[in-house]
Amino acid sequence: MGLVGLQENGNVSDLGSSGIPLGSNNNYERIDSNMLAEDYDDASHHHHQKDRSRSTRKYVFACAVFASLNAALLGYDVGVMSGAIIFIQEDLKITEVQAEVLVGILSIVSLFGSLAGGRTSDIIGRKWTMALSVLVFQTGAAVMAIAHSFEALMIGRLLAGMGIGFGGMIIPVYIAEISPTVSRGSLTSFPEIFVNFGILLGYISNYVFAGLPVHTNWRIMLAVGILPSVAIGIALFIIPESPRWLVMQNRVEEARWVLMKTNDNHREVEERLEEIKLAAGKANPAKYEEKPVWRELLSPSPSLRRMLVTGFGIQCFQQLTGIDATVYYCPAILKEAGVGGNSNLLAATVAVGVTRTSFILVAILLIDKVGRKPLLYVSTIGITVCLFSLGLSLSLVGQGRGGVAMSLLSICGNVAFFSIGIGPICWVLVSEIYPLRLRAQAVALGTVGNRVCSGLISMSFLSVSRAITAGGSFFLFAAVSALSVLFVHIRVPETKGKSLEQIVLLFQNGHECKGSGVELGEVEHLVQNE
């Protein structure tokens, strides 16, 4: 009976040993197979996404490095002149005042390059403004290397200053505009790494070539600065144009392509592109009344005024704390402290250069983790303490082992705290805080303040030190540095984790926006108000 019943309901061969139809097992097997296939597809997609993320990070990293090579030229010039000026004075018989002018004029002239760079970067693009910077700087370096008079040196110095002005303002802008939000801070700090690396190479060049005849050594020191141009020239044919500049030129598809290369999330690419179009006034041009940039900067709205105060202020404080005096005149300061002999002086400056270059890496590691503002607090407070300590050392301790050790430690501490905070973060902030249309020329305007302060410090340091003593000069720098702590507390917002378009909203009402999420409509509203 049971067997017949089984034959009526199904074939005996369809039963398993447990009495469950094998067909049902087959169903389970088919479900499991589908699930395994889906899991495999998910794993494959995840693996592909991981590879794409890795590839994107490498590409953006390479772009930031190639763009930052330009900054190494500025660093090398600063470092090499600190030692070369000793031999230039000896060879060409120039006075101390002429030496001050020769060193400081680069910063003054670079402000004209910065102003011009803001305009050219809006016309020919961020990338080709960097190319113009390299061309002008290298011409100046070549003229200085073959100069046989103070006048010829000045011509070369003027050209080099113009080139540095072009490059100094556009590099952080370019890197900020191509970088993903999550790593923008560390990538925009790269120019400061290369500035410090260039300074270190300049110090090493001083030390290596110091033993050559006086008529030859300083020329070789200056000529070595021409070599990076080859690498920079090649790099310019590899890196892309800024997607934000491309949108301003109505080249939206090219901008999308660049964003796809620099972001690993397709949805984020489209969101960023829409934000950029709104910020550039391209999403709804009928509602956007464009005014000349210079008119907006000269007659700013309240929010733009807050941006300008923050940007201009942080750029001026970066120099008013005397970093260029410490770097340019490091041998003279150490000589005042009691270090004797050119070789010993130049060797000590190499130690300062190594310190400054090493500590910039700390900023790179921390800037996108702990934020801009905490590092600025640590930096400005540390600089204040070290400058006061250096003033005490030069004024009270005097020459001798104790004085030399305290002075060298204070100088190294000063450049270390500079490198972990206000040195790189100054350029990160100014490349972040302005609206897209105004960014290049607003950064250029702030860079003028930076270069003027740098020039005033470097051109007057020796004279001021003679008037109020070297120790008195550093007490003065310490007082200014103390003011910079207060400025950071009152005026500088935290920009970590926000897109460039979102950061604009931090200044709308004078308060930080709550969280990092900002609606596109809010950005559009602000752009129209500006």
Side-chain angles (χ1 to χ4, degrees):
M1 288 284 295
L3 184 59
V4 172
L6 285 172
Q7 287 174 339
E8 288 173 355
N9 292 296
N11 195 289
V12 174
S13 62
D14 288 337
L15 292 178
S17 59
S18 61
I20 300 174
L22 292 177
S24 62
N25 280 343
N26 289 337
N27 288 337
Y28 283 116
E29 286 172 4
R30 281 194 295 273
I31 292 171
D32 288 342
S33 297
N34 291 335
M35 291 175 65
L36 286 171
E38 289 175 7
D39 289 344
Y40 178 80
D41 288 342
D42 288 344
S44 177
H45 175 74
H46 179 70
H47 183 70
H48 174 73
Q49 188 67 23
K50 207 171 176 183
D51 286 344
R52 176 176 166 78
S53 297
R54 193 179 299 114
S55 174
T56 299
R57 285 197 299 270
K58 287 180 179 177
Y59 182 75
V60 177
F61 179 86
C63 290
V65 168
F66 284 142
S68 300
L69 287 174
N70 210 332
L73 299 177
L74 169 60
Y76 184 82
D77 182 89
V78 171
V80 82
M81 280 302 288
S82 69
I85 195 66
I86 299 171
F87 305 108
I88 291 172
Q89 282 184 276
E90 188 178 342
D91 183 31
L92 301 183
K93 311 300 181 193
I94 66 175
T95 66
E96 188 176 88
V97 172
Q98 287 176 316
E100 278 187 318
V101 171
L102 189 63
V103 169
I105 197 67
L106 181 135
S107 296
I108 298 296
V109 174
S110 65
L111 68 89
F112 296 105
S114 297
L115 283 174
R119 186 66 182 145
T120 59
S121 67
D122 281 343
I123 296 172
I124 66 174
R126 306 336 191 193
K127 184 168 81 166
W128 297 112
T129 298
M130 287 190 280
L132 181 62
S133 165
V134 173
L135 180 63
V136 175
F137 177 86
Q138 301 297 11
T139 303
V143 171
M144 285 192 289
I146 61 174
H148 289 276
S149 66
F150 175 73
E151 291 74 19
L153 270 174
M154 283 295 292
I155 292 171
R157 198 78 172 142
L158 292 175
L159 287 170
M162 285 292 291
I164 284 173
F166 277 113
M169 62 75 44
I170 197 57
I171 298 169
V173 171
Y174 172 80
I175 296 175
E177 290 187 347
I178 66 162
S179 300
T181 299
V182 69
S183 57
R184 187 181 60 245
S186 57
L187 291 174
T188 312
S189 301
F190 275 25
E192 190 67 18
I193 292 182
F194 280 81
V195 166
N196 286 307
F197 184 64
I199 290 172
L200 178 58
L201 289 180
Y203 287 159
I204 293 172
S205 178
N206 290 156
Y207 185 72
V208 169
F209 299 117
L212 297 175
V214 172
H215 182 68
T216 306
N217 58 8
W218 64 269
R219 298 179 189 280
I220 296 177
M221 292 173 189
L222 296 176
V224 168
I226 300 172
L227 297 179
S229 61
V230 178
I232 296 172
I234 295 171
L236 288 169
F237 289 97
I238 297 173
I239 64 177
E241 182 53 86
S242 159
R244 287 163 170 86
W245 182 81
L246 290 170
V247 169
M248 288 198 297
Q249 304 303 308
N250 288 317
R251 293 156 63 176
V252 176
E253 287 308 311
E254 291 178 63
R256 180 181 280 109
W257 179 85
V258 175
L259 287 170
M260 293 288 287
K261 294 280 286 182
T262 56
N263 288 267
D264 54 18
N265 187 308
H266 288 270
R267 190 167 64 86
E268 185 178 339
V269 166
E270 294 304 320
E271 288 176 357
R272 287 288 170 264
L273 188 60
E274 287 304 311
E275 285 185 0
I276 294 167
K277 286 164 68 178
L278 286 169
K282 303 299 180 184
N284 197 351
K287 293 172 65 178
Y288 188 83
E289 183 182 354
E290 184 171 320
K291 294 189 291 185
V293 171
W294 64 267
R295 186 179 297 172
E296 291 192 55
L297 293 175
L298 291 177
S299 181
S301 65
S303 58
L304 180 56
R305 188 178 299 113
R306 283 188 282 269
M307 295 174 195
L308 291 170
V309 169
T310 299
F312 198 82
I314 199 71
Q315 285 187 291
C316 289
F317 272 118
Q318 188 205 47
Q319 294 299 327
L320 290 175
T321 52
I323 188 64
D324 275 4
T326 306
V327 174
Y328 274 126
Y329 299 109
C330 188
I333 297 166
L334 292 171
K335 189 174 183 180
E336 179 78 15
V339 178
N342 285 344
S343 293
N344 291 335
L345 287 171
L346 296 178
T349 61
V350 171
V352 174
V354 169
T355 302
R356 183 171 174 171
T357 305
S358 301
F359 275 85
I360 188 67
L361 299 177
V362 177
I364 297 299
L365 293 172
L366 296 180
I367 190 169
D368 283 318
K369 293 180 180 177
V370 304
R372 285 59 157 156
K373 199 160 182 172
L375 287 179
L376 280 174
Y377 278 133
V378 171
S379 174
T380 51
I381 293 170
I383 289 171
T384 303
V385 172
C386 290
L387 289 171
F388 189 79
S389 171
L390 183 56
L392 283 177
S393 172
L394 295 173
S395 300
L396 302 178
V397 179
Q399 298 186 350
R401 279 190 177 178
V404 169
M406 186 172 176
S407 296
L408 186 57
L409 188 62
S410 297
I411 292 172
C412 288
N414 181 28
V415 299
F417 281 113
F418 181 88
S419 290
I420 65 171
I422 198 168
I425 293 175
C426 162
W427 299 106
V428 173
L429 277 173
V430 299
S431 64
E432 292 178 328
I433 62 176
Y434 298 113
L436 174 59
R437 287 183 57 255
L438 311 178
R439 184 172 298 136
Q441 294 191 50
V443 171
L445 187 63
T447 304
V448 169
N450 182 274
R451 294 295 87 202
V452 168
C453 293
S454 171
L456 290 175
I457 296 298
S458 55
M459 290 176 72
S460 64
F461 177 73
L462 294 179
S463 299
V464 172
S465 295
R466 187 161 283 105
I468 64 173
T469 73
S473 298
F474 285 103
F475 284 134
L476 186 60
F477 289 143
V480 175
S481 184
L483 289 176
S484 73
V485 180
L486 188 62
F487 179 85
V488 168
H489 179 67
I490 295 173
R491 286 291 183 179
V492 178
E494 181 56 72
T495 59
K496 177 179 73 104
K498 299 175 177 66
S499 74
L500 295 177
E501 288 67 38
Q502 291 165 357
I503 290 169
V504 173
L505 294 174
L506 297 178
F507 296 87
Q508 186 174 15
N509 299 310
H511 303 290
E512 285 198 34
C513 61
K514 304 296 183 184
S516 60
V518 180
E519 297 296 327
L520 292 182
E522 294 179 283
V523 178
E524 182 177 20
H525 175 70
L526 177 61
V527 169
Q528 290 166 2
N529 286 344
E530 293 293 343

